[in-house]
Amino acid sequence: MFRVGIVGASGYTGGELLRILSTHPDVEVTIATSREFSGKPISYVHVNLRKHYTNLKFSNVSLEEILSKSDIVFMNTPPGVSHKLTPKLLENGLKVIDLSPDFRLKNLEEFKLWYGFEHESPDLVSKAVYGLPELHREEIRNADLVACPGCNATSTILALIPLVEEDIIDTLKIVVDVKVGSSEAGRKPNLGSHHPERANVMRPYNVEGHRHVVEVEQELSLISRKNVKVVFVPHAVGAIRGSLATCYSFPIEDSIDDNMLRKIYAKRYGKEPFIRIMGEGLYKYPDPSNVLGSNYADVKAVVQERSKSIVSMCAIDNLMKGSAGQAVQCMNIVLGFDEKRGLDFPPLKPI
Amino acid sequence: MFRVGIVGASGYTGGELLRILSTHPDVEVTIATSREFSGKPISYVHVNLRKHYTNLKFSNVSLEEILSKSDIVFMNTPPGVSHKLTPKLLENGLKVIDLSPDFRLKNLEEFKLWYGFEHESPDLVSKAVYGLPELHREEIRNADLVACPGCNATSTILALIPLVEEDIIDTLKIVVDVKVGSSEAGRKPNLGSHHPERANVMRPYNVEGHRHVVEVEQELSLISRKNVKVVFVPHAVGAIRGSLATCYSFPIEDSIDDNMLRKIYAKRYGKEPFIRIMGEGLYKYPDPSNVLGSNYADVKAVVQERSKSIVSMCAIDNLMKGSAGQAVQCMNIVLGFDEKRGLDFPPLKPI
Amino acid sequence: MFRVGIVGASGYTGGELLRILSTHPDVEVTIATSREFSGKPISYVHVNLRKHYTNLKFSNVSLEEILSKSDIVFMNTPPGVSHKLTPKLLENGLKVIDLSPDFRLKNLEEFKLWYGFEHESPDLVSKAVYGLPELHREEIRNADLVACPGCNATSTILALIPLVEEDIIDTLKIVVDVKVGSSEAGRKPNLGSHHPERANVMRPYNVEGHRHVVEVEQELSLISRKNVKVVFVPHAVGAIRGSLATCYSFPIEDSIDDNMLRKIYAKRYGKEPFIRIMGEGLYKYPDPSNVLGSNYADVKAVVQERSKSIVSMCAIDNLMKGSAGQAVQCMNIVLGFDEKRGLDFPPLKPI
Amino acid sequence: MFRVGIVGASGYTGGELLRILSTHPDVEVTIATSREFSGKPISYVHVNLRKHYTNLKFSNVSLEEILSKSDIVFMNTPPGVSHKLTPKLLENGLKVIDLSPDFRLKNLEEFKLWYGFEHESPDLVSKAVYGLPELHREEIRNADLVACPGCNATSTILALIPLVEEDIIDTLKIVVDVKVGSSEAGRKPNLGSHHPERANVMRPYNVEGHRHVVEVEQELSLISRKNVKVVFVPHAVGAIRGSLATCYSFPIEDSIDDNMLRKIYAKRYGKEPFIRIMGEGLYKYPDPSNVLGSNYADVKAVVQERSKSIVSMCAIDNLMKGSAGQAVQCMNIVLGFDEKRGLDFPPLKPI
């Protein structure tokens, strides 16, 4: 049994990590930190977890305790925290799965620009592996520090990988329209997430620029032979969970058709344990409501003949494949487990 | 008092027409048809209208009755019905506000392609005026037959008019991502609108092509000096009412900035009674939840500097500015009333 | 034109007062206070009201300004504020419609017990009229100070009046189960109203005792010849607006049947402008979704034969008949207008 | 490995059985019937189950196939079907877990009255065990035929067992107000469950009498020394899953207090694997949103001092502890497994 620490365990992602790991056969959560709820039982906050973790209480962050109790640590902290604490964990031989943005970007300038802090561990930035197994599985296997992607970056990149790898679209004219559920903004109440303000919205936000686009362009540029430019606008819609990326692109050659896209996606994703390509059935296109509670990402790409464009879509649960689930998937790879260990359950539906 | 007939009055748009007209000072609804509920009081179906229309019952469609009881008729029928009945109404001197698609398109071929019927009144197609007052106000004033736009076409066209008129975007690379509420699909139950299936979705549909795009391209081409090509994908999201069009386009010249867009939209829409340009406040971008129950359309356009693109948005209530409200606005113009008559009430919020 | 002041105008009830009064033909809002948004235009906060109140800005509370600008004032303040300010308004000849609880209760002890303050205007408590027109219409007509009921008290009392007045139920065994929407808790964000926490709940609260029960028992005791004891539990459910009171009682005599109940309710409420007794139609029982946006209260009572009990129900929009709408109804009575002035519009549906 | 057949596998309960059993270590689903979708893969209908059951297709109901392929069968059929098919399964040595109402009631007359059919297997009615493990665990262990409770009956009975067993309430004056999500009405579209009609309701239904009350009174009478009479009204509210029973009763003796209730419930339910008594924490009362996706039932009882009443509550997921989950719990008992086998995972939250 590996011993797992969770730094930042009282929010939604922390709760989701605890939920998943409660049934993982090979690890045990030994420490879960929360400044606000230190000393309280886990189920005090995560009421759904009553009858689970009956012997665990939230504790304050203490480096000594983390070092003595954990083999691997999930950093589930606000931007600007992990880049200070993580180096100490690594120095002491622990592995770190970072769910914060602190090691996602390779260009140090961008941390200041988008997250407002000066990075204090530039050397680790280059060592950290971007935690999208579908792109970096082998590097993750040997990594000490995995920087898990943002939820909207995950859905966007997964929708676009085959198109960019196959070099069939104009990479300077990619439009990504994202829809997200309210849990993305976390547990802390604010006006925009207040129920009467949020329940029935179709609300664009960060229209002038959203920070997840930096990761998207970084990763797509890596796999492309060309510069990549993405127009990206997220929208809050009436759901608690889910991130849907609808990606619009223009094919370089007119001859592309649905059949070719089907083959390209099948070839690229056919063996991926958590990617499902939508096909025949009552619903034909990706929709997060088909993956909620699970680590699956549903994808599909089609040609819109009239407008000579390609529409590629990816639907995930933002708290699962978009954060906690993907983090556990990365942990499995780092620790040498089967990638599906503890994650091999289907989505809940209807919900 | 003008006498108003509503053909197809038991659905959502019919109910909304009845709701609005119940407080309109200059018209009276004298006939409301419904095959299914013929003989039942209005409030039997529209439970919200109890204590209103207490002397009116649904009746079967009878040409004689319509002719004898109405001066102006709202055709609120499925595709393929109005093009047969409307000619008879016009011949007898009535005015017709058509909420169905039967006279929206100018190219007769498209009716067959998208709506599956052979048009029987091609001469009226050319006489019909597309009922978007912001584009065709003067023609509507003199029209006998007004063909009201589809809801998603309304939000899309309103978001794009100033950009196309000012000729500042590449009209061959316009991407429109639309989000809509469940009322758009009407009152008839079906699996996709069944509550457990629909409540929390982010579900793309008609990805291969949606028929509203034909009107959009038709109208934008009219005001442009160039060919217009629109990539268009609607998405069902978790709300009952609302249509939000997020439109992505690429400026012809790099120098365009937010300030210029603000001026262009202010100039174009400043005197429009039902267009509101979003500005300062707790919410800065269009969101249908700010216009529900009213005939307003909220619009805004901004430059996304990083991607050198323009994002223009328009939010409407699909049952109001997207259908019944806009139809009454057209009726007001046709009958010579103040355009805001009976429509000059604010949206309901929170809702 | 009477001049209206609104003290506390930036919350949901304030916004609803502004919405209604924007189309009221006989009054004008001349002052709207908000500490937080002082100096901002009305539409800065109430984004739905853009294009309305274009000349009005929020101002700080200033006794002088209120006195100089208003004939009648809506007090829309947290518990414990109005009992200090209202006396000064009355002394200067203004009328006050109080939406806060400060003058609802007749027993001074209860203010301390349920609202935590020592009442400073005990003399006004006895002069204040409880603002439920269906019970106190004549007294309201001559009142200077009207104390409007709480929303859940309104739905509960309206469901029970005919049963208590006719003396046909055991008044010591009344059970009231209330369901309410999230807007009831106001605009201020908190964990319980945070969208991810609130969207799909069926959450009992204040099970140990809810303060609205005091008004309920007070008013029902007034019209009963007996002591009245009510078991009362509110539940947060998944909606923004609405209060439904399901009231269970036991008939004194077994012979009571649906027909008798129908007659009793018709006799009591037949002439009430805002009470609608549910009858035949697609929906047979009260449900707030049929009254949203309006001042109507839908009621019905039936006998459940198997259990020998009476189920009486009342559905209202908590922000309308439950607060702002009822306050305007009271204002109309106080000012001598037709009771329906400015309120005679139907509910919005579907929504 | 036991072989499991599911008769009626394409609806919500069928999908939930398939979801749970996909991770159950000791059984295998070998047959899943659906008239409508015969020949289609499981994931054609249950899109969430893509990548699971890849070798199973829906089949038509064939007695021979069921007998040859199954050791135990879940009957998941509309009222009036199981009482004809189940006898043949039992005769051939299969075990049956019946999720339909066909064997729930002991009084044969009630089937005709509430479900409209004449029972053809009266002898089996007396042999069938009511599938509520908290009441009939030992009988279930030896049963060939288990008749699983209705969802609202489950939440109601669990809320009341300790009060009735301890004989501390007036059993002739029990009021039960139930709130339920839309999935309870199944997958078939109808007006009442159409999203625009259903999303924000607080809608009482079957106010004149709901058939689940028969089971409730039957089971509570069995454990009481007295006649039991229950006033019971269900309400549709804005959620997909969940059943909350709020039960109001009057204590026989005034001395009862919260502390005594706590002890009574702790004693009765302390060792139950799926009953959780709500205590300290961010939420203190049962709410289905804390149990969704799991087999847990959250309960609590408190005294409302002012009204001298007891409020006892139980929250379940109607598709889990209210049907599929409880059915699997019963299967585990029947087959001699640990009761929690395949069900020992926590609820999903937020959702």
Side-chain angles (χ1 to χ4, degrees), chain A residues 131-137 140 321 326 329-330 333 339:
Chain A
L132 194 71
E134 291 78 8
L135 273 187
H136 300 289
R137 183 167 282 115
I140 294 169
K321 184 66 180 170
Q326 183 147 269
Q329 185 183 0
C330 288
I333 298 174
E339 203 164 326

Side-chain angles (χ1 to χ4, degrees), chain A residues 89-277:
Chain A
L89 301 176
L90 295 176
E91 282 163 20
N92 285 276
L94 275 64
K95 309 263 188 183
V96 173
I97 310 289
D98 190 356
L99 291 97
S100 90
D102 283 22
F103 294 97
R104 284 180 200 159
L105 309 180
K106 295 304 179 188
N107 180 343
L108 291 169
E109 302 299 308
E110 303 276 22
F111 288 105
K112 186 130 200 201
L113 188 61
W114 294 93
Y115 296 101
F117 67 90
E118 199 83 53
H119 209 291
E120 298 184 6
S121 308
D123 51 321
L124 284 180
V125 165
S126 51
K127 285 188 195 152
V129 176
Y130 191 71
L132 194 71
E134 291 78 8
L135 273 187
H136 300 289
R137 183 167 282 115
E138 291 315 309
E139 298 154 87
I140 294 169
R141 210 181 297 285
N142 303 304
D144 293 323
L145 169 56
V146 176
C148 292
C151 57
N152 298 325
T154 297
S155 54
T156 300
I157 296 171
L158 290 175
L160 290 166
I161 285 174
L163 301 179
V164 173
E165 281 187 352
E166 295 286 327
D167 193 21
I168 57 176
I169 59 170
D170 176 355
T171 57
L172 295 176
K173 290 261 189 306
I174 299 174
V175 171
V176 179
D177 187 293
V178 170
K179 296 91 188 159
V180 295
S182 59
S183 61
E184 194 201 34
R187 187 195 202 95
K188 200 157 166 247
N190 62 70
L191 184 66
S193 296
H194 190 46
H195 182 270
E197 304 284 314
R198 182 62 172 73
N200 297 310
V201 299
M202 307 176 192
R203 184 199 293 159
Y205 66 97
N206 288 164
V207 180
E208 64 288 348
H210 183 276
R211 49 206 198 184
H212 283 186
V213 80
V214 188
E215 312 169 32
V216 169
E217 292 183 357
Q218 167 184 294
E219 295 299 312
L220 293 180
S221 293
L222 275 178
I223 58 175
S224 169
R225 279 167 295 270
K226 302 170 182 172
N227 191 12
V228 175
K229 192 71 37 202
V230 173
V231 189
F232 185 93
V233 177
H235 296 74
V237 298
I240 293 178
R241 289 184 182 225
S243 169
L244 174 75
T246 313
C247 305
Y248 304 88
S249 57
F250 299 95
I252 294 171
E253 307 207 359
D254 270 9
S255 56
I256 189 87
D257 63 18
D258 281 358
N259 199 32
M260 291 163 68
L261 289 179
R262 204 156 26 229
K263 282 180 189 161
I264 289 169
Y265 276 71
K267 189 183 71 174
R268 181 58 173 84
Y269 286 142
K271 291 185 179 156
E272 281 295 337
F274 291 111
I275 310 283
R276 308 190 303 189
I277 302 170

